[in-house]
Amino acid sequence: MERMSTATSRRERRTPAPRSLADELRGWDDDALACLLARRPDLAVPPPADLTGLAARAGGRAGVLHALNRLDTAEVQVLEVLAALPEPVAEAEVSRRWGADATGPLGVLRALALVWGPADGLRLVRAARDLVGPHPAGLGPPLADALGRRSPQRLADLLDDLGLPATGDPETALRRLTGHLGDPDVVAALLARAPDDARAVLDRLTWDTPVGSVDRADRAIRAATAASPVEWLLATGLLSGADPGHVVLPREIGLVLRGGVVHRRPEPGPPPLRTQVRPASHARGTAVAAAAEAVRRVAALGEAWGETPPPVLRSGGLGVRELRRTAQALGVTDAAAAVLVEVACAAGLVADDGETDPRWAPTPAFDDWLATTTGARWATLAGAWLTTTRTPHLVGTRDGRNAPRTALGPDLDRPSAPVVRAGLLAELAAAVRHGPEAPDPASVRQRLDWFRPRLASAARDALLDAAVEEAELLGVTGAGVLAPHAMALLGTAPPAPGAAEDRVHPDPDAAATALDEALPEPVDRFLLQADLTAVVPGTPDPALAAELDLLADVESRGGATVYRFTATSLRRALDAGYDAADVLTVLRARAATPVPQPLEYLVTETARRHGRLRVGAAGCYLRADDETLLAELLTDTRAAPLLLRRLAPTVLVSPLPPETLLERLRSLGLGPAAETPDGEVVAVRPRSHRAPRRRPDAPRLQVPGAASLAGVVRLLRAADELVTVPRDGDEEDERGEDRDRGGSGAPVTPRPADEPVPAGDPVRTLAVLRAAAAGRITVRIGYAGPDGAVTPVVVEPLTVEGGRVSVLEGGRVRALSIHRIAGVVALPEVPPSLG
């Protein structure tokens, strides 16, 4: 026991540095692995086979791209420093080249598995280096690459011009040149004797772009015969030819010209948020009014589409004319109507009815929505707006085929839309913590650019501008200030600026309660005036609003709503089954003032004329007790399109449908009423069309919970224990028991070369082959021959590229197709990174 403790202590003192990302992940504790999976959920869905598979997925191009897009400016700058410096590099050197302490950003990059290695030997994952591009932070290629394009003779000429010892070996010449020109003192000495304007040429290539246009940039030039500043720079190696038409500033030279730092200035923190103070009551009142109005307009939208559903375009959207007609009905602009339509659809309140001739119509969820409070209805709309990927501001613009984009069309989805809205709300929430302050839009844009610099673009700026306008329209903000009910929608923990979680998870119950408490008490009375109008001094309750919508037309809205009574509006109530007595009863019950005589006369006269003509279905028929009325109608030239003919002194018939005949007669100023076959007047209420319930959206990638992540980590550990083997030099006791396998003490038995190789995950197989090639380590593979039989082969991978792996087998080099490698197994001498 004492001997085992001594051996274990000796191993701990000489813990080797990780040789791959997989090797590093094995050294992480469970909390660090769970944190990685939480911040990069694409790595956990579906769970990888083991830690080697996790490392392969973490270093994959798609996953790395997603992780890079979520980095802030400080982290991107430090990552560019790593990409610009030769590997491995120490943390202290990274901080020096960045110009600030890089400990924090490096910690984030390491936690995201973008950087691995010890503090004095950091390495960037290969995909991240590729995605940064060949010119990290605007620096050119390394001297070795820039000068390596020159012929051996031109390298020899450059050695001679710089006064360096000559050599016939191009590789030696290149090493001498890169070491010499990479010395800041040498570059300073060369610049001190440079011709006029040479420094100006270098200054233009130092910060903006390292590439410049020059004719015949690859021509042979000697320093003694250089005829221009550019030729002298080429002759001395301070510039190099990139191709026949361009020169490039080598990276080491650029670093010297930049003063030894990679970036013009480090940006360790975001710019300050500039705000303007707004009157609290004004901001709150504006937002509450806008929220209530948005709810009313969406309700009106559903009612209008229920009565007259607009058709669905072949492309799947809403026609321009239908959108304009909807905007006029709602009393808003076309752009605002597009927002309301898209939000209603995102909330599942309207949808394509799925018929042979499809139309847009309310869903059953719309009826459920109408039955809730104003606050609950608004919370549904605002929550849908926050999370939808739809971008209404693009309606009316043209796509790549020069076709106009339409509301509800297929070309309005942008995955970054909810991310931009979440960033805007985070800034709005940060501003109101100090009072009713509205952030400056330009300041918000600058901060969003800092938090997600790789996503900065004109398209994102347009998304931000649209989100600001949509927030005002929907009552999320008032006068640019985040409303209290919108703050409640964000939950007890509003998103912090630049938070790792880009999406908002709304709390609709809290938002509904906050808005309902802020709304004024609805009124159930109105004031009748002699000019045939009614004034509702506030927000009408649902019952009063329904009655007034049936009896009158809205004339104006604001702090008070003005309704106007007309013969047409009263006829609408009569068609719904009211008579004069019913209408007057409603007016007297709801009015806070007596019914004016002109209004009472209008009601009685409209009711008297209503129903004098009766329309029924018998082609259809038209009857009246007054024979003179029918005779006048038959002789009226305006009624000729109705194709009326007399069946009896009091009965006419028409081939038109009853609905059409009713509409045409009303357009002539008559007041016909529909009747049943037994002569009773039909109460005609518009039939409201309904679409089936909206299909749920495609599920988005969700961040697994803490319990799920812990389970994934346990599975990774268990799977890894099955394949992990000791390093060269790990100590074993006389029985061959390994003490470096997590304390398991399981014996390690070398597998014979002819033992079958189990089939493995192709991603993991590729990662193992690459790591083995990098470490020049022997592995055992299962290789499928032409007949499909899998043969175990012991090989040493050399290179992996183009779908093939070059291996050393039995002293000769072979090229094997990777798709034929069924699996790979590490031999006992293979490090844990390959197990």
Side-chain angles (χ1 to χ4, degrees):
M1 188 69 176
E2 180 179 356
R3 182 172 59 84
M4 290 178 62
S5 300
T6 302
T8 300
S9 300
R10 189 160 53 248
R11 280 197 306 273
E12 291 176 352
R13 287 195 301 269
R14 60 175 183 82
T15 300
R19 298 171 60 180
S20 69
L21 178 58
D23 202 1
E24 167 132 334
L25 294 180
R26 288 190 176 90
W28 287 14
D29 58 31
D30 290 355
D31 290 340
L33 288 174
C35 180
L36 169 64
L37 297 178
R39 298 187 67 173
R40 296 181 62 180
D42 54 302
L43 304 184
V45 183
D50 51 32
L51 288 176
T52 300
L54 175 63
R57 192 177 296 177
R61 186 180 181 88
V64 171
L65 176 61
H66 184 67
L68 293 186
N69 289 341
R70 297 165 66 90
L71 298 179
D72 62 34
T73 295
E75 294 153 5
V76 168
Q77 285 187 338
V78 170
L79 184 124
E80 289 175 339
V81 171
L82 288 165
L85 299 179
E87 292 182 337
V89 60
E91 284 188 8
E93 179 66 7
V94 174
S95 296
R96 186 178 75 84
R97 293 292 191 177
W98 187 39
D101 184 8
T103 303
L106 283 173
V108 173
L109 297 177
R110 187 185 291 275
L112 292 174
L114 299 175
V115 171
W116 61 276
D120 59 349
L122 297 176
R123 295 179 182 273
L124 190 63
V125 296
R126 184 183 308 171
R129 187 178 296 276
D130 293 340
L131 288 168
V132 169
H135 300 152
L139 290 169
L143 270 168
D145 295 341
L147 298 178
R149 301 186 180 97
R150 301 193 179 195
S151 65
Q153 181 57 48
R154 294 187 61 196
L155 291 177
D157 292 343
L158 184 56
L159 285 173
D160 184 44
D161 286 338
L162 294 176
L164 298 177
T167 176
D169 181 16
E171 294 292 333
T172 302
L174 193 59
R175 284 196 300 271
R176 288 179 182 175
L177 289 170
T178 55
H180 183 71
L181 291 173
D183 187 344
D185 294 334
V186 171
V187 175
L190 287 173
L191 292 176
R193 58 185 181 87
D196 296 340
D197 298 330
R199 185 57 189 260
V201 173
L202 294 177
D203 288 343
R204 286 197 295 271
L205 303 177
T206 299
W207 291 107
D208 296 332
T209 174
V211 180
S213 298
V214 173
D215 292 335
R216 297 176 57 216
D218 57 347
R219 61 187 182 277
I221 304 172
R222 298 298 300 269
T225 59
S228 68
V230 172
E231 290 188 353
W232 185 88
L233 292 171
L234 288 169
T236 54
L238 297 180
L239 286 182
S240 185
D243 56 52
H246 296 87
V247 295
V248 65
L249 180 67
R251 185 170 302 174
E252 291 84 347
I253 309 300
L255 282 173
V256 173
L257 296 174
R258 293 184 179 192
V261 296
V262 174
H263 298 89
R264 193 186 299 269
R265 63 178 183 279
E267 298 183 49
L273 180 62
R274 300 187 300 274
T275 61
Q276 295 179 346
V277 179
R278 298 279 193 264
S281 59
H282 171 68
R284 183 167 54 252
T286 301
V288 169
E293 187 66 6
V295 169
R296 185 198 66 78
R297 284 169 173 160
V298 172
L301 167 70
E303 296 289 357
W305 283 13
E307 295 175 5
T308 310
V312 178
L313 297 177
R314 291 184 179 180
S315 62
L318 179 69
V320 174
R321 292 181 180 178
E322 296 295 340
L323 178 64
R324 184 171 296 114
R325 186 176 294 114
T326 300
Q328 292 173 350
L330 300 181
V332 297
T333 63
D334 291 0
V339 174
L340 296 173
V341 166
E342 288 287 354
V343 170
C345 186
L349 305 181
V350 297
D352 179 345
D353 63 6
E355 300 293 338
T356 304
D357 294 323
R359 296 178 292 174
W360 295 106
T363 65
F366 176 74
D367 300 310
D368 300 336
W369 179 77
L370 284 179
T372 61
T373 65
T374 300
R377 282 183 270 173
W378 178 84
T380 300
L381 298 178
W385 173 73
L386 286 175
T387 56
T388 183
T389 59
R390 304 289 293 176
T391 53
H393 72 280
L394 294 179
V395 172
T397 62
R398 295 191 173 270
D399 60 17
R401 297 170 297 178
N402 201 33
R405 296 185 175 95
T406 59
L408 302 179
D411 195 28
L412 296 183
D413 280 292
R414 298 294 184 274
S416 58
V419 176
V420 172
R421 295 188 192 112
L424 171 64
L425 290 177
E427 299 298 335
L428 290 168
V432 299
R433 291 190 180 99
H434 307 291
E437 299 183 7
D440 176 39
S443 178
V444 172
R445 182 176 293 107
Q446 292 171 359
R447 287 172 61 85
L448 290 184
D449 288 346
W450 188 91
F451 284 117
R452 297 291 185 268
R454 287 178 58 87
L455 299 180
S457 65
R460 188 175 74 170
D461 291 345
L463 274 174
L464 178 61
D465 294 339
V468 171
E469 295 178 1
E470 293 162 5
E472 286 285 329
L473 175 68
L474 298 175
V476 175
T477 59
V481 179
L482 187 67
H485 51 269
M487 191 73 171
L489 183 69
L490 302 181
T492 56
E501 177 57 49
D502 282 332
R503 296 182 184 270
V504 176
H505 303 283
D507 184 352
D509 294 336
T513 301
L515 182 57
D516 285 333
E517 292 176 351
L519 286 169
E521 287 294 328
V523 298
D524 58 358
R525 310 277 284 178
F526 51 74
L527 305 175
L528 291 174
Q529 302 185 105
D531 62 350
L532 302 181
T533 61
V535 179
V536 181
T539 303
D541 65 23
L544 177 61
E547 290 172 342
L548 284 174
D549 287 341
L550 191 63
L551 294 170
D553 299 319
V554 175
E555 189 168 83
S556 65
R557 297 185 185 275
T561 305
V562 178
Y563 291 83
R564 178 166 294 279
F565 297 94
T566 65
T568 302
S569 68
L570 291 172
R571 196 179 298 127
R572 189 167 58 235
L574 296 172
D575 286 340
Y578 283 64
D579 57 22
D582 295 332
V583 173
L584 292 174
T585 298
V586 171
L587 295 178
R588 293 184 180 116
R590 291 291 193 176
T593 57
V595 179
Q597 186 177 5
L599 178 58
E600 187 171 352
Y601 174 79
L602 178 64
V603 171
T604 56
E605 179 62 19
T606 304
R608 185 184 65 81
R609 300 181 61 191
H610 185 267
R612 292 174 62 189
L613 296 179
R614 305 295 178 91
V615 175
C620 64
Y621 69 86
L622 175 66
R623 75 177 182 86
D625 295 333
D626 188 349
E627 297 181 16
T628 305
L629 178 61
L630 292 181
E632 292 175 353
L633 186 59
L634 281 171
T635 58
D636 192 340
T637 57
R638 298 177 299 166
L642 302 182
L643 303 177
L644 295 170
R645 62 189 178 90
R646 189 189 297 271
L647 289 184
T650 58
V651 179
L652 304 179
V653 294
S654 170
L656 301 178
E659 297 83 5
T660 303
L661 184 57
L662 284 168
E663 180 181 353
R664 298 282 181 85
L665 291 174
R666 286 167 183 159
S667 68
L668 297 178
L670 301 174
E675 70 174 13
T676 63
D678 58 1
E680 295 294 327
V681 176
V682 178
V684 180
R685 289 181 180 270
R687 182 183 176 186
S688 187
H689 189 73
R690 290 292 179 268
R693 292 191 179 272
R694 184 174 68 96
R695 296 183 180 90
D697 294 333
R700 297 192 184 106
L701 182 63
Q702 300 293 330
V703 179
S708 300
L709 293 177
V712 172
V713 172
R714 286 195 299 271
L715 290 175
L716 292 175
R717 295 287 192 200
D720 210 58
E721 284 293 326
L722 298 177
V723 295
T724 302
V725 295
R727 292 178 179 274
D728 292 336
D730 284 345
E731 297 185 18
E732 301 179 2
D733 58 18
E734 294 84 355
R735 296 168 297 175
E737 291 181 350
D738 171 36
R739 304 191 191 96
D740 262 353
R741 297 182 59 182
S744 64
V748 175
T749 303
R751 299 184 179 100
D754 57 353
E755 180 182 335
V757 178
D761 180 8
V763 175
R764 179 177 178 275
T765 297
L766 183 60
V768 171
L769 290 173
R770 283 176 172 169
R776 303 297 299 270
I777 298 168
T778 303
V779 296
R780 190 162 55 90
I781 64 173
Y783 195 70
D787 57 353
V790 178
T791 304
V793 184
V794 177
V795 298
E796 179 183 327
L798 302 176
T799 60
V800 181
E801 59 184 357
R804 300 177 70 83
V805 55
S806 297
V807 300
L808 184 63
E809 179 195 2
R812 63 190 183 95
V813 177
R814 296 181 57 192
L816 306 178
S817 297
I818 294 178
H819 71 271
R820 287 194 174 190
I821 299 178
V824 58
V825 176
L827 296 182
E829 67 271 16
V830 181
S833 63
L834 301 181

